[in-house]
Amino acid sequence: MSIIEDLRIAVDNYETDNCKTEIVNFEITGGGGTVLNETETFMFRVRVTNQSHLDMKNVTVRVSGTSFADVAFLLIGPFGRSAVSRPFNLDAHQVHTTLFFRGKCKRVTNGTKDIVTARINSWDASFDHILRDHTGAGAAEGKLNKEIHPN
């Protein structure tokens, strides 16, 4: 395989292999309880950690509801099967937390269930971190060697 093909594969898998995507700051709207009831709404954010060397530009996060909940972004969108965040930049080795997503419980069940999933939806790769931030002074290599005599 060529280095170009290896690079393409690495970029294709970057958001899964080199980023951590977590749902954080969950809270039930207007309640304060810890168990969701049917038709109850909730809010949460998504935190994405870029754990490697590519800068990520124009990143969007998609959250998807399951059979137990629908989702929306902020207060502006209607509830549906999925919602997408506004774009943001996520440089190498940095963390970004989205604005709030909303959810609405639509089905009652007993026990703990996955009600929402999150993933990086789209992004543009940038090599700025590798090509700029990793450049610097090299080792001293050029030497001037001359014979020296006392006066």
Side-chain angles (χ1 to χ4, degrees), residues 80-117:
R81 297 183 77 188
S82 67
V84 177
S85 73
R86 291 182 179 146
F88 57 91
N89 292 336
L90 182 58
D91 290 338
H93 311 292
Q94 299 300 308
V95 178
H96 177 84
T97 303
T98 66
L99 298 172
F100 277 101
F101 286 91
R102 295 179 300 136
K104 183 175 183 179
C105 185
K106 64 181 183 179
R107 183 172 156 211
V108 176
T109 186
N110 289 326
T112 302
K113 303 290 182 192
D114 289 337
I115 58 172
V116 173
T117 60

Side-chain angles (χ1 to χ4, degrees), residues 2 32 39 57 73 115 126 131:
S2 74
T39 72
K57 305 297 181 189
F73 184 62
I115 58 172
S126 168
L131 298 176

Side-chain angles (χ1 to χ4, degrees), residues 39-127:
T39 72
E40 212 165 23
T41 59
F42 55 94
M43 296 173 33
F44 60 95
R45 292 176 170 210
V46 178
R47 179 173 52 221
V48 181
T49 305
N50 184 346
Q51 300 172 319
S52 198
H53 297 288
L54 287 182
D55 288 335
M56 300 172 75
K57 305 297 181 189
N58 299 311
V59 180
T60 60
V61 170
R62 177 178 298 275
V63 298
S64 298
T66 65
S67 61
F68 301 102
D70 284 331
V71 293
F73 184 62
L74 299 172
L75 299 175
I76 57 175
F79 287 109
R81 297 183 77 188
S82 67
V84 177
S85 73
R86 291 182 179 146
F88 57 91
N89 292 336
L90 182 58
D91 290 338
H93 311 292
Q94 299 300 308
V95 178
H96 177 84
T97 303
T98 66
L99 298 172
F100 277 101
F101 286 91
R102 295 179 300 136
K104 183 175 183 179
C105 185
K106 64 181 183 179
R107 183 172 156 211
V108 176
T109 186
N110 289 326
T112 302
K113 303 290 182 192
D114 289 337
I115 58 172
V116 173
T117 60
R119 67 178 177 91
I120 294 173
N121 185 58
S122 63
W123 63 285
D124 299 324
S126 168
F127 289 100

